[in-house]
């Protein structure tokens, strides 16, 4: 019997030849680069694709978002009625993703129990957010989930498994291959294998070992601390949306038994934090529709910016072909990103402007030039600090880190029915 929040699920895999066109990148990527998504639409054409089952967040605030959502729901229903899926009952999928840099990232796709997840800061749940959740971002996403017959995961959840006892025990040679294909737009390639019942039991046993309270507390030098087994890597707001929607359903239907309801779970992939494929990179800030000089001047005064290295926090500011490194002397957070984010939130609230979160220092600088804005380039975070920081201090500032380049984010492949 499974005793952690991760379990098997009834997983759908498409029975189509052109998986290249089926699989597209996570909806929260390339939010300031419409040309990326234009190319995806051009590539997919009229072929069956997960592109028709998701709402890329670049379109989330467009006037036609309601029409797009209706089309998504209609496409889900059509794909089900057309019988393009093969359903694997009580399944897990072992994934080997060859990233754009050639390194293999391994993971297991299954279901996360939302009863064991709390995204609020300071949560003691077994599944926790690693960064602050922006509540305002959830309602628009709930509208996509409402009326949807399918869910598709781009959620990646981390386990702190230095000995690689969970995923490392799996051997693809012993499993049935479900898919093997190249990913579009420099996404690398991916293989998926069906995990049989015996191997699922071994996975569960290894996860339960990691979740042993005595061993957990000893590992982090704690006493009687609630176990954190699953920490969010990517897709924080997607999992938060699933949780909020589930809680909404329970509130609206108090007489209903939700103990085994499909909405209680969300598909996700677990990945070992210690995988060589996982590189934590800073997520940079692009600010535009502001007067650059005024913002930098106020920021200099508020955060005590200086070009002298007398602080362990810093940010590189690129604006109008000028790039300088500034140290933050008036810290408002334990991390550079937190001090910067606190200032930007306050400034934009008072004086207006827009902010976007960008992967890659060269990309954010190029976009700053394109939008006549400011690029704020931040230092990378040491991934070994993730679990201890979340355990002791709660969630990090939002958009603190990214696991690798945008090209290497999770692509949609598997699906699950979420209607009763």
């Amino acid at each position: 019997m499974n005793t952690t929040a991760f379990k098997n699920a009834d997983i759908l895999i498409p029975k189509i030849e052109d998986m290249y066109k089926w699989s597209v990148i996570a909806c929260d990527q390339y939010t300031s680069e419409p040309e990326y998504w234009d190319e995806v639409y051009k590539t997919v054409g009229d072929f069956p694709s997960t592109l028709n089952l998701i709402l890329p967040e670049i379109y989330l605030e467009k006037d036609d978002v309601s029409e797009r959502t209706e089309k998504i729901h209609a496409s889900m229903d059509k794909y089900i009625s057309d019988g393009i899926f093969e359903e694997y009952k009580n399944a897990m999928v072992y994934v080997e993703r060859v990233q754009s840099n050639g390194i293999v990232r391994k993971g297991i796709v299954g279901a996360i129990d939302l009863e064991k997840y709390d995204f609020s800061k300071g949560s003691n749940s077994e599944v926790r957010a690693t960064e602050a959740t922006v509540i305002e971002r959830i309602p628009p996403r709930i509208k996509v989930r409402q009326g949807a017959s399918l869910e598709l995961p781009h959620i990646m959840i981390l386990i702190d498994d230095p000995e690689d006892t969970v995923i490392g025990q799996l051997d693809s040679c012993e499993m049935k291959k479900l898919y093997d294909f190249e990913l579009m737009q420099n996404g690398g390639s991916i293989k998926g294998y069906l995990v049989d019942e015996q191997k699922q039991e071994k996975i569960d046993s290894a996860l339960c070992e990691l979740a042993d309270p005595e061993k957990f507390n000893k590992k982090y030098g704690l006493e009687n601390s609630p176990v954190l087994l699953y920490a969010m890597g990517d897709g924080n707001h997607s999992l938060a949306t699933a949780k909020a929607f589930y809680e909404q359903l329970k509130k609206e239907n108090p007489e209903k038994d939700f103990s085994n309801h499909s909405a209680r779970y969300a598909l996700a992939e677990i990945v070992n934090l210690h995988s060589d494929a996982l590189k934590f990179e800073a997520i940079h800030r692009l600010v535009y529709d502001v007067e650059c000089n005024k913002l930098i001047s106020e920021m200099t005064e508020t955060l005590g910016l200086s070009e002298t290295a007398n602080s362990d926090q810093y940010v590189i500011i690129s604006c109008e072909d000028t790039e300088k490194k500034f140290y933050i002397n008036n810290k408002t957070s334990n991390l550079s990103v937190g001090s910067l984010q606190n200032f930007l939130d306050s400034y934009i609230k008072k004086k207006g402007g827009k902010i976007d979160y960008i992967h890659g220092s060269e990309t954010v600088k190029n976009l700053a030039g394109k939008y006549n804005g400011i690029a704020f380039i931040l230092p990378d975070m040491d991934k070994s600090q993730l679990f201890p920081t979340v355990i002791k201090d709660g969630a990090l500032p939002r958009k603190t880190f990214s696991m690798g380049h945008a090209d290497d984010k999770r692509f949609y492949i598997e699906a699950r029915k979420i209607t009763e």
Side-chain angles (χ1 to χ4, degrees), residues 103-270:
I103 300 175
V104 178
R105 185 180 73 225
K106 301 176 181 180
I108 304 171
V109 177
I112 283 289
D113 185 353
L114 298 174
E115 287 284 358
K116 298 182 178 182
Y117 165 57
D118 180 359
F119 56 77
S120 61
K121 186 170 184 177
S123 161
N124 289 323
S125 56
E126 184 180 300
V127 188
R128 299 181 208 172
T130 53
E131 62 181 24
T133 302
V134 184
I135 303 302
E136 294 78 14
R137 293 182 63 187
I138 295 177
R141 291 156 179 77
I142 286 182
K143 290 180 181 179
V144 178
R145 197 170 180 90
Q146 284 176 327
S149 51
L150 297 173
E151 70 165 358
L152 297 95
H154 76 260
I155 299 163
M156 287 178 56
I157 296 178
L158 303 174
I159 56 173
D160 190 358
D161 185 15
E163 302 300 321
D164 202 17
T165 60
V166 179
I167 300 172
Q169 65 179 303
L170 299 177
D171 184 352
S172 61
C173 296
E174 301 172 351
M175 294 182 245
K176 174 184 177 180
K177 185 184 288 185
L178 298 175
Y179 52 77
D180 180 358
F181 61 98
E182 297 291 320
L183 296 164
M184 67 173 68
Q185 299 267 69
N186 196 40
S189 63
I190 193 164
K191 298 177 183 178
Y193 302 85
L194 185 64
V195 182
D196 62 34
E197 184 177 350
Q198 184 178 19
K199 291 182 177 62
Q200 288 184 31
E201 291 175 356
K202 291 182 178 180
I203 289 169
D204 181 51
S205 177
L207 288 169
C208 289
E209 190 74 12
L210 288 178
D212 178 85
E214 184 177 345
K215 293 178 180 178
F216 172 84
N217 279 275
K218 182 179 179 181
K219 180 179 183 179
Y220 296 107
L222 305 168
E223 290 185 13
N224 301 318
S225 176
V227 172
L228 166 61
L229 183 56
Y230 303 103
M232 289 303 303
D234 279 336
N236 179 52
H237 286 87
S238 291
L239 194 63
T241 297
K243 172 70 171 181
F245 180 65
Y246 172 55
E247 295 298 334
Q248 179 179 305
L249 282 179
K250 289 197 297 180
K251 186 176 181 180
E252 293 172 351
N253 302 276
E255 75 293 340
K256 192 176 182 66
D257 179 12
F258 282 89
S259 58
N260 200 34
H261 195 281
S262 61
R264 176 175 171 169
Y265 302 95
L267 275 188
E269 179 181 347
I270 60 171

Side-chain angles (χ1 to χ4, degrees), residues 37 44 62 98 119 121 158 197 237 273 329 374 389 391 403:
W37 290 103
V44 167
K62 299 294 185 182
V98 180
F119 56 77
K121 186 170 184 177
L158 303 174
E197 184 177 350
H237 286 87
L273 172 70
N329 296 301
I374 312 172
T389 302
I391 291 167
M403 295 192 302

Side-chain angles (χ1 to χ4, degrees), residues 289-306:
D289 289 353
V290 296
E291 291 189 49
C292 296
N293 291 335
K294 287 186 177 180
L295 186 151
I296 294 172
S297 176
E298 185 166 330
M299 182 176 169
T300 300
E301 182 178 350
T302 303
L303 294 183
L305 300 186
S306 70

Side-chain angles (χ1 to χ4, degrees), residues 76-96:
M76 289 177 174
D77 295 339
K78 184 177 188 302
Y79 286 0
I80 292 172
S81 63
D82 286 350
I84 74 167
F85 294 109
E86 181 79 33
E87 185 172 49
Y88 295 88
K89 293 286 188 180
N90 302 315
M92 291 181 183
V93 177
Y94 168 59
V95 174
E96 292 183 344

Side-chain angles (χ1 to χ4, degrees), residues 301-313:
E301 182 178 350
T302 303
L303 294 183
L305 300 186
S306 70
E307 296 182 55
T308 305
N310 50 8
S311 170
D312 61 349
Q313 291 190 12

